[in-house]
Amino acid sequence: MRVHRWSSWIRALAVGLDLLFAGLVVLAVAGALGRPTSSTVVAVVAGAGLLVVYASGRVTVRVHERSITEPRGAWWPDSAWIAALVVLWCVLLLVSPTALWVAFPLFLLQMHVLGPHRGPVAVAVTTAIVVVDGVTVVAPPGAPPLGFVLGPMLGAAVAVGVVLGFEALVRESAERQATVDELLEARELLADAEGERLVHEERERLAREIHDTLAQGFSAIELLLRAAGTSLARDDAERAAGHIERARELAGHSLDEARRFVRALAPPDLDDATLVGALERVARRYRARDLDVVVRTEGLPRPLPVPVETALLRIAQSALANVDRHAGAGHAEFVVDYTRDDVVLDVIDDGAGFDPTAVTPSGSPGGFGLPTMRSRARELGGSLALESSPGEGTVLTVTMPTAGPTPEHQ
């Protein structure tokens, strides 16, 4: 991966190295001008060749645009370019002692182009050439050779250390950038997953709302209209009118529910009412349909969080709809217990009962049923229990914390 953060620094250093190399080559050529004509010609040709080869290599071997982790020092064009420069530099060194100074930018270039493995080998070879030339050619007769040995070695060590240190910084930056990129990608994936989860939960919530309100209302309207049709067929206009009037009332209630979906408000039964008042409204509607439903409380009623009241009301509506449609009951009760820290709702009926272990996954034919009720309770940290047996009626118990959902249920 390219580290664009360092590209401006690398370009600046590359330009500095270009100027240093060109300046030292020109200085080396100028140092040969006082020598014999043949030496001057060789120096000019070698110097010009160095500059041309260097410029062409800078155009084709663009190491600074590669990844810091990419292997370097391939035989073509990297190593071939460095080898050509060293050969031309050696030719210039034969006719101009000042060409020794060109070795330092060569050290830097060798490390940069050939990398941390082949680069030190090339630097060591170049250092050996400088030492041999300095001791045998440049050093005055009888002068101690120690300076001509330690100087090139120290320069080579500095060049190697500088390049390796700089590349270590670039490599560390690249690793950090890769980590940041991975974290950003992981965050995007998590955000997408969270969005999908929220969409799925919202779909489930809307499905439950529609099942517990509109679907049940439409089902009841369909049954009432069917009963009205039967009464009309028997010339019982008064009874048919009663069924139609109850169907009209239920249609109005369902319309209120539909409008609530649009407004995203609490259930209409809870508007300006407590949970007990909302349950009384539900009971009155079912009493109009010949199912005797009463509401009782234990303890002193107290305000509950809106989500808890909404969930309890929806569960009560869904349970009573199942009683009305499937249990064949004549009597049902809502019992709200406020005597505990939690609030407990019991839905009791004297219907046919059933075997809870034989309930289908959906809880009831064509609907969400018991799983939906349990899901509502769990979302707020509550629980749902069911007691029933064939011929013995049913008791559905919902226990909800009044402080709202705990963190693990949010």
Side-chain angles (χ1 to χ4, degrees), residues 211-288:
H211 168 263
D212 292 343
T213 56
L214 299 181
Q216 293 175 2
F218 292 147
S219 176
I221 291 171
E222 190 269 338
L223 291 175
L224 287 169
L225 292 177
R226 185 183 299 174
T230 302
S231 298
L232 288 174
R234 296 174 179 174
D235 294 327
D236 190 350
E238 182 179 353
R239 188 175 184 84
H243 289 317
I244 292 173
E245 177 61 22
R246 286 194 291 273
R248 187 193 65 78
E249 292 175 356
L250 191 54
H253 176 73
S254 297
L255 180 59
D256 290 339
E257 291 286 359
R259 288 170 177 166
R260 185 188 66 79
F261 292 153
V262 177
R263 297 193 305 268
L265 298 176
D269 285 320
L270 286 173
D271 289 346
D272 302 320
T274 63
L275 173 63
V276 176
L279 293 175
E280 287 283 4
R281 292 182 185 180
V282 174
R284 282 198 298 270
R285 287 198 297 270
Y286 278 90
R287 284 197 292 267

Side-chain angles (χ1 to χ4, degrees), residues 385-400:
L386 185 67
E387 295 181 12
S388 183
S389 59
E392 298 294 332
T394 302
V395 178
L396 183 144
T397 302
V398 185
T399 304
M400 299 286 274

